[in-house]
């Protein structure tokens, strides 16, 4: 039996200018969120969350991925991520249980041919809470150009007994990335260490 979905919300933004300078091409970021009934709400502390994870997470992941791909072609997606916000009567573990399972995330990785893990946030909040979806390059987590975050909110969610579950996608990175990447840092640090050894 799958999770009960009260509503689906979609947020989309396209950036053309950053820092007063127009980008070579605009970058679109998309967030798709499902507001679901918390399957563990009102049942006290539950030791084993696995039955609900097994019964609902795969179908929810598949549904959200379908909705994302209706908005942005999978081949065009360069960065991706996920988020969950549990209502005030829920545990952070409830939010984590939904998104931190391969049953949920593998649908997205497979659909866009990704290699990287899905960056994430999971937190507790009330209606209108900020839903922050951090993203990174789907093939290489070392590309800092694609460290972007989409922020959205749903005015009436999550209610105290709900969980908001979201996927994010971007068809590019920041418009004018100029901080290099971790591979450049590694090369520079190695060169500095070598130079320091020579000077010693």
């Amino acid at each position: 039996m799958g999770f009960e979905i009260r509503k689906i919300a979609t947020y989309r933004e396209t950036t053309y200018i950053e820092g007063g300078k127009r980008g070579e091409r605009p970058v679109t970021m998309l967030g798709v969120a499902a507001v679901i009934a918390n399957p563990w709400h009102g049942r006290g502390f539950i030791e084993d969350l696995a039955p609900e994870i097994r019964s609902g997470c795969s179908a929810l992941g598949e549904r959200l991925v379908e909705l994302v791909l209706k908005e942005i072609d999978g081949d065009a997606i360069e960065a991706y991520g996920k988020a969950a916000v549990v209502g005030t009567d829920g545990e952070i573990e409830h939010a984590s249980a939904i998104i931190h399972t391969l049953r949920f995330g593998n649908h997205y990785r497979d659909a866009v041919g990704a290699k990287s893990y899905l960056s994430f946030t999971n937190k507790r909040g009330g209606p209108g809470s900020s839903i922050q979806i951090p993203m990174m390059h789907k093939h290489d987590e070392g590309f800092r150009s694609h460290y972007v975050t989409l922020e959205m909110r749903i005015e009436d969610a999550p209610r105290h007994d709900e969980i908001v579950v979201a996927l994010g996608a971007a068809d590019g990175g920041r418009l004018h990335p100029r901080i290099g990447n971790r591979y450049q840092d590694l090369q520079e640090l190695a060169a500095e260490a070598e130079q320091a050894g020579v000077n010693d």
Side-chain angles (χ1 to χ4, degrees):
M1 183 172 136
F3 300 131
E4 179 182 79
I5 297 176
R6 179 168 69 86
K7 65 164 57 178
I8 298 284
T10 301
Y11 175 79
R12 183 187 190 101
E13 66 177 47
T14 301
T15 303
Y16 299 89
I17 297 171
E18 182 68 35
K21 180 180 178 182
R22 185 172 294 276
E24 292 182 7
R25 66 177 179 87
V27 173
T28 294
M29 293 197 294
L30 172 78
V32 176
V35 181
I36 67 170
N38 184 341
W40 301 287
H41 177 263
R43 296 167 53 191
F45 185 86
I46 300 170
E47 190 66 41
D48 184 10
L49 306 181
E52 290 78 15
I53 292 171
R54 285 194 294 266
S55 68
C57 287
S58 181
L60 180 62
E62 186 174 26
R63 175 82 181 277
L64 287 175
V65 169
E66 288 175 357
L67 293 171
V68 168
L69 296 182
K70 283 183 180 178
E71 299 287 335
I72 301 181
D73 183 85
D75 290 336
I77 293 174
E78 295 184 10
Y80 71 162
K82 60 186 176 182
V85 183
V86 66
T88 53
D89 280 357
E91 300 175 40
I92 298 296
E93 194 71 2
H94 297 164
S96 297
I98 303 294
I99 63 173
H100 296 309
T101 169
L102 297 180
R103 297 173 190 274
F104 178 81
N106 275 354
H107 289 288
Y108 203 2
R109 276 184 287 272
D110 292 345
V112 299
K115 299 176 183 175
S116 302
Y117 67 88
L118 281 151
S119 53
F120 65 90
T121 56
N122 38 236
K123 68 174 192 175
R124 181 186 295 110
S129 291
S130 170
I131 305 161
Q132 297 171 342
I133 312 173
M135 294 181 252
M136 64 182 177
H137 198 284
K138 68 180 182 181
H139 294 318
D140 194 326
E141 57 269 19
F143 288 169
R144 292 185 185 135
S145 59
H146 286 65
Y147 292 175
V148 295
T149 302
L150 175 70
E151 185 170 6
M152 60 184 287
R153 67 183 70 247
I154 304 170
E155 291 305 315
D156 68 343
R159 294 174 179 168
H160 69 283
D161 58 352
E162 294 180 328
I163 305 173
V164 175
V165 183
L167 292 180
D171 64 3
R174 299 186 306 281
L175 255 58
H176 310 299
R178 353 186 247 290
I179 60 171
N181 59 52
R182 74 182 305 270
Y183 308 113
Q184 290 170 304
D185 280 5
L186 289 170
Q187 291 173 356
E188 289 176 9
L189 290 170
E192 289 169 10
E194 183 178 351
Q195 185 61 43
V198 170
N199 291 337
D200 288 345

